[in-house]
Amino acid sequence: QEVIRAEGLGKTYAEGKMHTPVFDGLELSVSRGETVAIIGASGAGKSTLLHLLGGLDVPTAGEVFVAGQKMSGLSDTARGALRNRELGFIYQFHHLLPEFTALENVMMPVLLGGGELDAARKRAMDLLESVGLGHRLAHKPGEMSGGERQRAAVARALVNQPGCVLGDEPTGNLDDRTAANVFGQMLELNRAHGTSLVLVTHDRSLARKLDRVLELREGRLHAMASSQV
Ligand code: ADP
Ligand code: ADP
């Protein structure tokens, strides 16, 4: 069962002087429970790809399917609901809301999805506990360390029990030890809940821990043998 599929995906930025496509005919299929690392040189198009997969930007060719639903066939409202239900996002910089506590930040996606307050609080507390932040529920982002903020962002991405989490350098601004710790938490949640992970990372020692490593090069994804990573 596929949680994400890209078919013949193409993207050309209209503003680009040369109108060179970032991709052309890119294919990707991610199964439920699978973990995939995407690596590639700077400018290869990794962020663009994640934006297209997450429905934050629209492709100029091809289609993205999320949980079997064609994104381009949906209204803005339906696409938003599908994203909120099926996908979680983690970025290099956590994007937690500074004026809210860790608990409130993690509850937010549940409430936005129409969930009830008590249920949202319980689920957010359980997840914060499981990423080792049970003692930081009432702290605001500015009162937490970099690693703690990133782990809170992991909890927030998982709180709606999405089929897949998309991460753009989720550990990119952390030191090696903290990065390994946050990455480990994500793998733990993958094992516990079967959440698929599609993570862009430049850190090959972390990429190697995932089921598959794909290199984005010349507009296509190339499978890498673990010995090459
Ligand atoms: P990566 O994440 O692998 O570094 P990006 O997806 O950020 O690569 O960028 C891929 C290419 O698309 C680059 O050549 C970049 O300059 C170009 N690009 C990215 N975003 C835009 C944009 N909004 N407008 C025009 N060109 C862009
Ligand atoms: P981590 O490995 O999670 O990034 P650090 O080694 O950076 O943690 O920090 C260790 C402890 O110091 C954390 O538990 C955190 O609560 C506290 N701490 C770090 N930075 C800050 C900060 N800016 N404000 C408040 N507490 C902080």
Side-chain angles (χ1 to χ4, degrees), residues 52-215:
L52 295 178
L53 296 179
L56 302 173
D57 193 2
V58 286
T60 42
E63 292 289 350
V64 172
F65 298 82
V66 172
Q69 297 219 54
K70 194 193 276 192
M71 295 286 260
S72 69
L74 301 173
S75 67
D76 288 352
T77 315
R79 190 178 316 118
L82 180 65
R83 289 183 48 215
N84 194 51
R85 190 172 66 242
E86 286 291 337
L87 302 176
F89 299 89
I90 311 177
Y91 307 94
Q92 180 169 3
F93 298 98
H94 54 81
H95 292 289
L96 298 171
L97 299 170
E99 65 274 31
F100 292 96
T101 65
L103 181 62
E104 290 163 346
N105 266 284
V106 176
M107 287 167 67
M108 202 83 61
V110 185
L111 300 177
L112 289 174
E116 291 186 1
L117 197 59
D118 285 349
R121 187 181 294 115
K122 169 139 190 9
R123 227 188 293 159
M125 284 175 72
D126 287 349
L127 266 175
L128 282 163
E129 192 75 49
S130 70
V131 297
L133 291 179
H135 60 311
R136 291 285 179 261
L137 301 181
H139 286 58
K140 294 181 180 173
E143 300 164 336
M144 297 191 289
S145 72
E148 289 176 333
R149 287 194 283 259
Q150 217 50 18
R151 280 184 277 146
V154 170
R156 183 186 52 183
L158 280 145
V159 73
N160 275 341
Q161 298 165 290
C164 186
V165 166
L166 302 174
D168 195 352
E169 295 280 6
T171 60
N173 70 337
L174 303 174
D175 64 72
D176 287 352
R177 197 172 58 88
T178 311
N181 176 292
V182 172
F183 217 80
Q185 293 287 346
M186 285 192 269
L187 287 175
E188 201 52 52
L189 293 161
N190 159 262
R191 275 191 285 271
H193 303 283
T195 315
S196 302
L197 302 174
V198 177
L199 304 179
V200 166
T201 180
H202 65 268
D203 187 330
R204 292 183 173 225
S205 69
L206 296 181
R208 223 178 283 134
K209 295 179 200 261
L210 303 190
D211 298 332
R212 279 199 286 158
V213 180
L214 303 176
E215 185 184 8

Side-chain angles (χ1 to χ4, degrees), residues 15-26:
E15 311 91 285
K17 271 185 229 138
M18 312 295 236
H19 295 269
T20 316
V22 183
F23 331 113
D24 188 13
L26 180 143

Side-chain angles (χ1 to χ4, degrees), residues 1-4 29-36 163 194 196-197 212:
Q1 206 184 0
E2 285 175 322
V3 65
I4 289 202
S29 167
V30 180
S31 307
R32 288 213 178 264
E34 197 181 19
T35 61
V36 178
S196 302
L197 302 174
R212 279 199 286 158

